[in-house]
Amino acid sequence: MDFFNYNAGRLFAEQVEAERIASEVGTPAYVYSAATLRDHLHKVQKAYESLETTVCFSVKACGNVGILKLMAAEGSGFDIVSGGELYRVLEAGADPSKVVYAGVGKTDREIVEALDAGIGYFNIESEEELANLIQLARPHVAAGRSRPRAALRVNPDVDYETHAFLRTGKKETKFGVDIERAVAVFDAYADNPSVDLCALHVHLGTGGKTIDPYVEALEKVLVLIDRLRQKGHRIGALDLGGGYGADYETETVPSAAEYAAGIVPLIRGRDLKLILEPGKSICANAGILLTRVLYTKQGGSKRFVIVDAAMNDLIRPSLYDAFHFIWPAQVEPRFAPAVRSKGLHIEGSEVVDLVGPVCEGADFLAKDRPIPHVERGDLVAVFTAGAYGFTMSSNYNGRCRAAEVLVDGDTFRVVRRRESYEDLVALER
Ligand SMILES: *Cc1c(COP(=O)(O)O)cnc(C)c1O
C-alpha cells in the first residue's frame, strides 16, 4: 500500500503532482510520502500491540533527519549501525532509550558515544566486542550512570532465500555468534557489574518473501531462552531484527499482520519484550525516484532510454539485480498501470533498457523493460525506491547527490537540498 497514484494519466504523490515537484526541485529527486511512512509504521505497531513491543525503524534504509523526525513523532524507536546514525537519530529528537545498536565493528569512540547517549540496547556481535563494551562501560557505571543493556546477536543458522549479499542468518556470515555458543557467552559474561546482558537479537537478512524463516528462527531462539533461564540467566527482551518483505511488485510479500500472526502466538505469555527492526518494509514503497529522459537511442536491436538518474543515485539494480517498477509520470490514460509487477506489458509499450549517464556497463535501472513510449524531457518514476536508495548513493563520476522531498497531503518540502559542485569539493585541500 502506498500513496503514489495515477489520476487521469498523471502521477501524484499524495495530492501533489510529480511533475510539479520535478519542475520546482529538479531531477533526479527522491520523493517520499509521509502518509505511506505513517501507515506502514502504524500497521506494524498495531500488529504487535498485544505484546510489549518497540518498533525500531532501521536508519540505514532511509536516514534523512526529516524522515526520522516524522518516525520519532509516531513513536518509533531506531535501529542504528554506526556513530553517524546515532548522531542522525539524536538530531531528529529520538528517545535514546528506544535505540538499538547493531554492527560487527563498533569502534571505541562509537561505543562511548552510545554509552553517553544512554541507548536502549547494544546488540553484541562477538565475544571480543562484549569484553570491550564491559571495559568501556566500567568508568561510566562507576560515575553513577546506569548499567547499559546488551543483547547477544545469535546466528540461528536458518536458510533464507534471498540474494547472497543480503543473507545474514546463516553460520558462514560475519554477523552474530553461533547459537550453540550463546549459553557459554552468557555463563562467561552475564554476571558482571558493568553491562547487563539480558536479551537476545536475531536478524536473518533482508528481502525474504515468506514468514517461515522467522518462525523457524524464533522457535530455535525460544529453546535457547528456556535453557538460559533454566541456568538462572535473566532474559527480558528478544529483538527479532528486520528483513520483513517489502512490496517491490504488487502484493508479493506477507503483510505486517501476517508476519505477526506467525510470531505473536509463539511469544505470548513468555514474559518477553519484543523489539522489531523493520527497514524496507516501512520505507521502500514510501519513496520514488523522479528522473528525466535525457536522450533515447537505438543500439543494435536495443532501444536505450538514457535518464538523468544513475547507479550513483540508486545502486540496487546494479548491486543486487533488484527489480524496480519504472513508468512515465504522465501517460495516456490507457497506460495507467493497474499493477506494478515485472510482467506488466500494456499493448503499445516499447521494450527498452533504462540507463544512467555513469561510465560503467553496470549503470542501469532496468533491462528489457516494456514501458510506454518516452522521449527527451519526459519525466519517469522509479517506484519503491525509498529504502537503500538515497542512503546508498554516492558522488561517483563527480555527480551531485539528488534532492530529497517529503510530501505530506497537499504540501511538500525539500528535506535535503540537491548537492552543489561546491559541496563536491568542500572537504578537499
Ligand atoms: C539492515 C538491518 C535491518 C533492516 O533490514 P530491512 O530489510 O530493511 O528490514 C534491521 N536490523 C539490522 C541489524 C540490520 O542490519
Side-chain angles (χ1 to χ4, degrees):
M1 233 292 269
D2 62 56
F3 294 87
F4 297 100
N5 288 302
Y6 283 83
N7 187 343
R10 297 181 324 180
L11 177 63
F12 282 75
E14 302 189 22
Q15 278 101 263
V16 184
E17 193 179 347
E19 179 60 57
R20 196 185 129 207
I21 298 171
S23 49
E24 283 183 33
V25 175
T27 54
Y30 277 92
V31 177
Y32 306 102
S33 153
T36 310
L37 291 164
R38 290 191 195 103
D39 177 58
H40 289 176
L41 177 67
H42 293 166
K43 279 178 177 150
V44 180
Q45 289 167 333
K46 181 142 183 46
Y48 295 88
E49 72 187 351
S50 66
L51 303 173
E52 196 180 325
T53 305
T54 309
V55 180
C56 294
F57 176 62
S58 185
V59 173
K60 78 177 188 290
C62 186
N64 185 289
V65 172
I67 284 172
L68 302 181
K69 269 187 186 157
L70 177 151
M71 302 296 284
E74 302 298 318
S76 183
F78 296 99
D79 157 48
I80 60 167
V81 293
S82 70
E85 288 190 351
L86 175 63
Y87 188 84
R88 282 186 176 281
V89 301
L90 296 177
E91 194 72 8
D95 173 354
S97 72
K98 289 200 222 169
V99 171
V100 296
Y101 184 5
V104 296
K106 301 178 189 78
T107 65
D108 290 4
R109 172 187 165 176
E110 289 174 316
I111 292 172
V112 169
E113 286 164 353
L115 286 168
D116 288 342
I119 66 164
Y121 287 91
F122 286 84
N123 289 346
I124 299 296
E125 306 251 8
S126 65
E127 291 167 66
E128 269 192 20
E129 181 197 336
L130 180 53
N132 189 39
L133 174 62
I134 289 170
Q135 185 101 18
L136 293 169
R138 204 167 284 142
H140 183 84
V141 172
R145 300 281 307 268
S146 63
R147 207 159 54 126
R149 280 184 308 223
L152 183 67
R153 179 170 183 174
V154 294
N155 204 319
D157 197 30
V158 298
D159 254 324
Y160 189 80
E161 217 174 295
T162 186
H163 191 285
F165 291 179
L166 303 177
R167 210 179 290 141
T168 65
K170 282 289 283 178
K171 265 190 184 164
E172 285 72 29
T173 68
K174 67 179 178 180
F175 303 98
V177 301
D178 294 352
I179 194 161
E180 298 82 17
R181 274 294 299 162
V183 173
V185 175
F186 270 80
D187 286 346
Y189 294 98
D191 187 24
N192 84 86
S194 304
V195 172
D196 185 11
L197 182 62
C198 60
L200 289 172
H201 175 223
V202 285
H203 173 70
L204 301 180
T206 183
K209 294 191 171 176
T210 70
I211 68 170
D212 305 349
Y214 286 86
V215 171
E216 192 189 330
L218 184 52
E219 282 167 346
K220 286 190 176 184
V221 171
L222 290 174
V223 169
L224 171 62
I225 289 175
D226 288 342
R227 268 186 68 204
L228 289 168
R229 283 177 167 172
Q230 275 159 17
K231 295 199 77 178
H233 296 303
R234 203 171 37 77
I235 307 293
L238 172 61
D239 182 339
L240 259 189
Y244 311 98
D247 239 351
Y248 284 85
E249 301 182 64
T250 305
E251 277 158 18
T252 50
V253 294
S255 65
E258 285 165 322
Y259 277 108
I263 292 168
V264 171
L266 294 173
I267 297 181
R268 189 173 287 135
R270 283 179 169 270
D271 192 22
L272 267 181
K273 290 182 191 158
L274 182 64
I275 297 165
L276 300 168
E277 305 171 340
K280 63 165 61 130
S281 59
I282 302 276
C283 62
N285 56 12
I288 61 174
L289 173 61
L290 291 178
T291 178
R292 261 192 217 284
V293 176
L294 292 170
Y295 303 103
T296 62
K297 71 173 181 182
Q298 197 73 26
S301 61
K302 263 190 194 293
R303 179 171 152 85
F304 288 97
V305 173
I306 299 145
V307 296
D308 65 4
M311 65 188 291
N312 74 295
D313 299 299
L314 180 66
I315 203 172
R316 300 187 73 259
S318 318
L319 187 59
Y320 307 129
D321 213 13
F323 170 82
H324 286 268
F325 185 77
I326 301 179
W327 211 251
Q330 196 159 350
V331 290
E332 292 169 40
R334 74 190 172 99
F335 280 116
V339 289
R340 294 184 200 146
S341 68
K342 258 177 207 164
L344 182 69
H345 191 153
I346 298 177
E347 182 73 27
S349 295
E350 292 174 345
V351 177
V352 304
D353 279 14
L354 286 123
V355 302
V358 163
C359 301
E360 294 277 352
D363 180 26
F364 62 90
L365 298 174
K367 285 191 166 167
D368 298 322
R369 187 68 65 79
I371 64 165
H373 178 79
V374 290
E375 291 176 3
R376 175 170 164 80
D378 285 352
L379 186 66
V380 170
V382 182
F383 288 83
T384 320
Y388 308 98
F390 187 87
T391 54
M392 291 182 96
S393 67
S394 77
N395 294 120
Y396 186 43
N397 270 215
R399 289 170 55 82
C400 302
R401 269 179 292 189
E404 291 180 289
V405 171
L406 181 61
V407 174
D408 197 354
D410 57 5
T411 62
F412 73 90
R413 74 195 169 87
V414 175
V415 288
R416 192 181 204 271
R417 68 164 171 79
R418 184 178 309 287
E419 288 178 356
S420 66
Y421 294 147
E422 291 76 15
D423 292 329
L424 289 181
V425 299
L427 305 180
E428 296 169 23
R429 291 289 173 271

